[in-house]
Amino acid sequence: QEANPKSAALYRQTLKSIPQIISMYALDVTPAELKPIIDNEFRKYSQVKDPQVLDVLVYKGKQELEETLLMFKTKSHVFRYINPDMKKQPEKHSTFLERFFAGTA
């Protein structure tokens, strides 16, 4: 398969940025663990052939990378790419708060 030159350039730029992202966000992963995740993100759209759609996808990808490198994201935002199954856990109230809201505290 022939890759779109713009998406191939974004892919290379993203791979080159992996060590910097790991360092900036103090992630407990190796570059070798992130590469398949990035590969998967690009492969998701490998069937797209429409040039206009590809341009939009490349633009969004560049924007995501830039925001990540400028630290507009928190560690949890970046970690969601690594572990997409991560769901926000509902906060458990302390027993004091439960009693307080029940009117027994």
Side-chain angles (χ1 to χ4, degrees), residues 21-46:
I21 292 169
I22 290 172
S23 174
M24 288 169 47
Y25 289 93
L27 300 175
D28 293 329
V29 295
T30 65
E33 292 172 316
L34 279 184
K35 187 180 181 308
I37 295 166
I38 291 169
D39 288 348
N40 187 41
E41 286 295 315
F42 277 83
R43 284 197 178 105
K44 268 198 259 184
Y45 302 104
S46 64

Side-chain angles (χ1 to χ4, degrees), residues 3-104:
N4 177 327
K6 292 178 185 177
S7 60
L10 175 61
Y11 177 75
R12 285 190 303 276
Q13 184 181 10
T14 304
L15 291 181
K16 287 179 183 178
S17 301
I18 288 175
Q20 183 180 1
I21 292 169
I22 290 172
S23 174
M24 288 169 47
Y25 289 93
L27 300 175
D28 293 329
V29 295
T30 65
E33 292 172 316
L34 279 184
K35 187 180 181 308
I37 295 166
I38 291 169
D39 288 348
N40 187 41
E41 286 295 315
F42 277 83
R43 284 197 178 105
K44 268 198 259 184
Y45 302 104
S46 64
Q47 301 304 317
V48 176
K49 302 298 181 206
D50 184 354
Q52 291 178 328
V53 175
L54 284 171
D55 285 344
V56 170
L57 290 171
V58 168
Y59 173 79
K60 286 183 176 184
K62 285 181 180 179
Q63 185 176 9
E64 282 291 321
L65 180 60
E66 181 180 359
E67 289 175 0
T68 302
L69 292 172
L70 291 174
M71 293 197 75
F72 289 176
K73 299 175 182 289
T74 64
K75 187 174 181 175
S76 64
H77 292 127
V78 175
F79 195 70
R80 286 188 196 133
Y81 278 102
I82 298 168
N83 185 2
D85 298 330
M86 184 177 86
K87 303 279 191 251
K88 184 175 180 180
Q89 299 295 326
E91 293 181 24
K92 293 185 179 181
H93 297 290
S94 69
T95 55
F96 169 77
L97 287 178
E98 290 172 353
R99 288 181 286 145
F100 176 81
F101 290 132
T104 59

